[in-house]
Amino acid sequence: MSDPTTPVPPPSDDAPASVPPASPPTPPPAPAAPAQPAPGQSAPGQPVYGQPVYGQPAAGQPAYGQPAYGQPAYGQPYGYAAGPRTNVLAIVSLVLSLAGLVTGITAVGGIICGHIAMAQIKRTGENGRGLALGGVIAGYIIAGLGILLIIAYVIFLVAIIGAGVASSSYGTSS
């Protein structure tokens, strides 16, 4: 057999065209496989880290397009999505109402802010309805207790003054 690296001489012009060549043409040699993969590449048949491996998923893995348990879906950031904001007046309402325990007068501001906050929450869909409702309820209770305290104080003063007038001898003759 002839060596595949030696070239076959071209047919001469004086040879008849109907005569086939003595040996069939040899196919070109197959390219040699590299002994070592280039840096940054893996050997053939081995998956590269970070590149998808195609085929059927292994047992226990989710199907394509479905995220595994605990992983966010494609396009969603990690963590929780931001929900609606909390109405600021609802927070102010609760703070003013509870401050009314100390000052007494700010409970009225808590009632007013709470009603405005509930109207805004109904219109805009913000969070904080519970805060606003808590501020209104606490404001009414604290304001009611304040009014009862004032009424009790006035009654106490009237009773003291009445008892003092009745027991004084300033207006009687002896």
Side-chain angles (χ1 to χ4, degrees):
M1 184 164 199
S2 66
D3 186 17
T5 57
T6 57
V8 177
S12 63
D13 291 335
D14 59 342
S18 64
V19 178
S23 65
T26 58
Q36 293 286 332
Q41 295 180 352
S42 66
Q46 295 179 350
V48 178
Y49 179 73
Q51 291 183 350
V53 178
Y54 297 103
Q56 291 189 354
Q61 292 184 348
Y64 180 76
Q66 297 175 350
Y69 177 75
Q71 294 179 349
Y74 179 76
Q76 290 181 343
Y78 286 97
Y80 296 101
R85 292 179 22 172
T86 301
N87 190 295
V88 176
L89 278 179
I91 298 169
V92 171
S93 167
L94 189 61
V95 169
L96 286 177
S97 293
L98 294 178
L101 287 170
V102 178
T103 64
I105 192 69
T106 59
V108 176
I111 295 169
I112 294 169
C113 287
H115 281 291
I116 295 171
M118 284 194 291
Q120 287 179 352
I121 289 168
K122 187 184 292 185
R123 186 177 69 243
T124 63
E126 292 177 309
N127 284 338
R129 185 175 187 280
L131 294 173
L133 192 60
V136 168
I137 292 171
Y140 277 127
I141 290 172
I142 293 169
L145 289 175
I147 291 172
L148 287 176
L149 185 66
I150 291 172
I151 291 172
Y153 182 70
V154 169
I155 291 174
F156 178 73
L157 285 179
V158 169
I160 296 264
I161 293 173
V165 170
S167 66
S168 77
S169 58
Y170 178 70
T172 61
S173 60
S174 322

